[in-house]
Amino acid sequence: MALKNRSADLVIVANRLPVDRVEEADGSKSWRTSPGGLVTALEPVMRANDGAWIGWPGGTETGMKPFTSDGLSLVPESLSAEEIEEHYEGFSNGTLWPLYHDLVAKPEFHREWWDSYVRVNQRFADRAARIAAEGATVWVQDYQMQLVPQMLREARPDLKIGFYLHIPFPPGELFQQLPWRREILQGLLGADLIGFQLPGAAQNFVRLVRQRVGHKTHRDLVYLPDGRTVKAAAFPISIDTEGFEELAASEPVAQRAKEIREALGNPRTIFLGIDRLDYTKGIYARLRAFSELVRDEHLSVRDSVFVQVATPSRERVEQYRRLRDDIDRLVGRINGDLGEIGRPVISYLHSSYPREEMAALYRAADVMVVTPFRDGMNLVAKEYVACRLEEDGALVLSEFAGAADELRQAWLVNPYDINGMKAALREAHNAEPKELNRRMRAMRKTVKERNVTRWADSFLAELAATRPDHGKTVRPVGDGADEGDES
Ligand code: GDG
């Protein structure tokens, strides 16, 4: 399908398109919508507003035309092999990712990575400038695209531009290491509304703008010399709660949860971790904590098991390869030292699974363990809560995950404190059903009220309100549009 110039009333700009290339049985290739929360949230609003989504389709194929998949208008922007290495694996995942996650790993600064980041951002901005209708809304997503708002504003001052950062925004003490700190701040200031997961991140940003760029600020507003005002506020992201509940309630998923339990030898307690294999997620420390409980006989392999799913991620980046080896070695050692025949301490799966299998795992698990050193939100924690239809099960959650702001009834832990984590794991394991129910009921209420549709609608409603005199207003489709999620 040809997408006409200046025809889209809503444009999403993200690093990735929301589809994956799949090979059919007859060898032909097609696209399948990837099952993420972001697509679920934006799909209805895109349909209601002639939306188009610009993103990298994965791979290095060039010259791809815009196409429609499941009724969504998709605009592929290709990356060359060099750009994948420098923009994506390099500046995005080797510089910004660790820098924005409290330096959990050491960020690398390379000038050629930066140059590539600028070039790719410019290409995405140019494309958005071409397809956005007069007065349209453009919503730019995440850390790979932080220069797009200002580049777009220069080309198309008529647009309403929103930006959302899915990962944390660091305090000034860390951010100022970045040789291109001013450029990034100015890139973001091209937006009318900048959304963060937590209020603290928005405050970090506003403070930095005042100190580094010298603009006037007041609370969540930045006043630019040209008279424009930029708002920076928190919009904590969520999940398709209803979708997860339905999936968890389905017969095949309930059946599969039973099978999983049986395959594990019907232990009394199943502990579960599900993460992208990423050094921010705290997988190593959590497995160590659990293994020490087994070693010290607080838990026994006959009645407890830890299932860890680690989804392959960024495998060409050196730090990720090293992490994989470290975890492989740790799991091998723990199982070798403490396991028994047919009874591993840790059932480790380095693989990705369909959503149904994820829901079955959530249903099967008695204690969900989410212990990142730093995480923007962490959707796994919310998905677990959504799948606990019987209002039971325990959540052990890092204080440093954004989700800890909302899921206060979890067992909150400091992932750097191994003894503290051990104590929380024991408490969660030994908690009375009444206590589990009290906590889970409260968390389920939160996750039901604040779903991803409400997140998208509240952001778009706020964006519309920041420049009411300008352009068209995107029509919200969900239920929470007028309540305002920001805090
Ligand atoms: C970034 C921020 C923020 C994982 N393995 C499989 C699978 N998943 C799904 C989970 C969940 C998602 O991936 C992971 O989301 P997280 O929030 O845990 O983490 P990041 O990937 O780091 O996401 C994060 C998020 O953006 C949203 O703003 O919360 O803080 O870092 O939905 O279910 N899904 C399937 N198979 C798998 O094997 N189907």
Side-chain angles (χ1 to χ4, degrees):
M1 183 207 66
L3 186 75
K4 287 206 205 83
N5 278 348
R6 300 215 171 196
S7 65
D9 287 333
L10 173 65
V11 180
I12 306 295
V13 182
N15 182 58
R16 280 301 298 265
L17 280 181
V19 286
D20 294 313
R21 199 71 151 150
V22 285
E23 203 172 309
E24 304 292 344
D26 64 359
S28 67
K29 297 234 170 107
S30 67
W31 297 99
R32 187 186 305 142
T33 309
S34 31
L38 193 60
V39 199
T40 314
L42 298 178
E43 204 180 310
V45 83
M46 278 182 64
R47 286 189 209 290
N49 293 281
D50 273 337
W53 185 310
I54 301 174
W56 171 43
T60 50
E61 197 178 324
T62 51
M64 288 170 64
K65 296 270 175 286
F67 61 96
T68 309
S69 171
D70 278 345
L72 295 181
S73 182
L74 305 179
V75 184
E77 194 58 68
S78 42
L79 296 185
S80 67
E82 198 185 24
E83 286 168 344
I84 295 173
E85 211 179 306
E86 297 183 343
H87 160 83
Y88 177 66
E89 293 161 358
F91 199 76
S92 297
N93 291 325
T95 307
L96 294 173
W97 180 267
L99 182 69
Y100 282 29
H101 284 90
D102 280 2
L103 310 188
V104 174
K106 196 168 162 42
E108 287 184 45
F109 302 116
H110 297 294
R111 284 166 286 182
E112 58 287 4
W113 288 3
W114 165 253
D115 294 342
S116 179
Y117 186 78
V118 176
R119 272 197 306 277
V120 170
N121 272 250
Q122 188 67 61
R123 226 178 33 246
F124 278 60
D126 291 348
R127 178 73 81 132
R130 274 205 302 283
I131 66 172
E134 190 66 24
T137 293
V138 181
W139 192 1
V140 183
Q141 306 285 328
D142 227 358
Y143 62 103
Q144 306 91 346
M145 296 285 138
Q146 292 173 100
L147 304 178
V148 170
Q150 182 55 29
M151 290 167 165
L152 195 52
R153 163 118 3 242
E154 277 160 24
R156 295 286 307 274
D158 59 300
L159 300 175
K160 246 177 273 177
I161 304 172
F163 180 90
Y164 188 78
L165 186 69
H166 290 257
I167 66 174
F169 191 82
E173 292 75 10
L174 304 183
F175 186 78
Q176 59 198 8
Q177 286 190 6
L178 187 65
W180 307 278
R181 57 200 180 188
R182 208 184 148 90
E183 286 89 334
I184 294 279
L185 295 174
Q186 271 164 338
L188 291 169
L189 286 171
D192 299 296
L193 176 64
I194 309 175
F196 298 88
Q197 301 276 17
L198 299 182
Q203 286 153 15
N204 285 345
F205 174 76
V206 171
R207 198 173 312 121
L208 264 160
V209 166
R210 192 169 56 240
Q211 291 166 349
R212 287 277 149 213
V213 195
H215 291 327
K216 272 218 187 86
T217 67
H218 178 65
R219 298 193 177 188
D220 54 4
L221 295 179
V222 178
Y223 301 98
L224 302 189
D226 66 3
R228 220 159 47 79
T229 306
V230 179
K231 182 164 178 168
F235 296 84
I237 201 168
S238 192
I239 56 164
D240 173 16
T241 310
E242 236 173 83
F244 269 99
E245 280 185 335
E246 272 166 30
L247 196 60
S250 73
E251 196 37 47
V253 167
Q255 190 50 37
R256 178 66 191 143
K258 280 204 196 100
E259 278 170 30
I260 290 172
R261 195 157 204 114
E262 262 160 44
L264 292 166
N266 282 317
R268 191 188 122 202
T269 311
I270 299 175
F271 293 77
L272 175 66
I274 298 184
D275 314 77
R276 271 190 311 99
L277 186 49
D278 193 296
Y279 50 79
T280 59
K281 301 288 183 183
I283 302 170
Y284 193 97
R286 140 190 351 155
L287 296 181
R288 254 191 71 195
F290 182 80
S291 73
E292 286 185 17
L293 290 175
V294 174
R295 183 198 65 196
D296 300 341
E297 297 182 1
H298 296 300
L299 297 175
S300 134
V301 286
R302 258 158 272 149
D303 58 31
S304 298
V305 66
F306 200 115
V307 177
Q308 176 65 54
V309 175
T311 311
S313 181
R314 304 176 191 170
E315 291 183 297
R316 286 159 36 126
V317 179
E318 174 59 26
Q319 277 155 332
Y320 287 78
R321 273 200 289 245
R322 231 177 310 136
L323 174 71
R324 181 174 177 194
D325 290 345
D326 289 347
I327 305 260
D328 282 353
R329 254 196 311 274
L330 179 71
V331 171
R333 203 171 64 223
I334 294 171
N335 283 341
D337 286 351
L338 302 168
E340 292 179 9
I341 286 181
R343 295 283 184 180
V345 180
I346 295 160
S347 180
Y348 177 62
L349 306 156
H350 178 252
S351 183
S352 73
Y353 293 94
R355 257 163 63 93
E356 291 73 14
E357 184 74 358
M358 305 274 292
L361 282 163
Y362 290 140
R363 269 200 75 149
D366 304 289
V367 183
M368 183 81 214
V369 192
V370 180
T371 56
F373 294 119
R374 181 59 73 190
D375 214 331
M377 176 54 63
N378 197 293
L379 299 180
V380 166
K382 292 188 171 180
E383 289 165 5
Y384 177 68
V385 170
C387 290
R388 302 309 298 182
L389 305 169
E390 321 281 331
E391 303 193 319
D392 61 356
L395 175 64
V396 175
L397 178 62
S398 164
E399 292 165 20
F400 305 128
D405 261 34
E406 294 169 275
L407 304 178
R408 305 302 303 170
Q409 297 80 11
W411 271 270
L412 294 178
V413 295
N414 169 359
Y416 294 96
D417 171 10
I418 299 266
N419 285 345
M421 272 203 288
K422 285 165 70 178
L425 289 172
R426 284 182 70 187
E427 272 182 39
H429 173 252
N430 295 325
E432 296 294 331
K434 221 172 131 198
E435 170 76 359
L436 293 171
N437 178 261
R438 181 185 65 77
R439 292 180 184 240
M440 188 51 77
R441 218 178 32 234
M443 292 193 287
R444 285 181 58 74
K445 187 163 177 282
T446 306
V447 171
K448 274 173 186 253
E449 278 170 12
R450 307 185 195 167
N451 62 20
V452 74
T453 306
R454 175 168 151 167
W455 168 79
D457 282 353
S458 63
F459 184 92
L460 289 169
E462 186 72 45
L463 179 56
T466 47
R467 299 177 89 200
D469 54 332
H470 218 91
K472 302 171 190 170
T473 295
V474 164
R475 268 179 287 147
V477 290
D479 50 4
D482 49 0
E483 285 162 42
D485 224 358
E486 81 186 284
S487 44

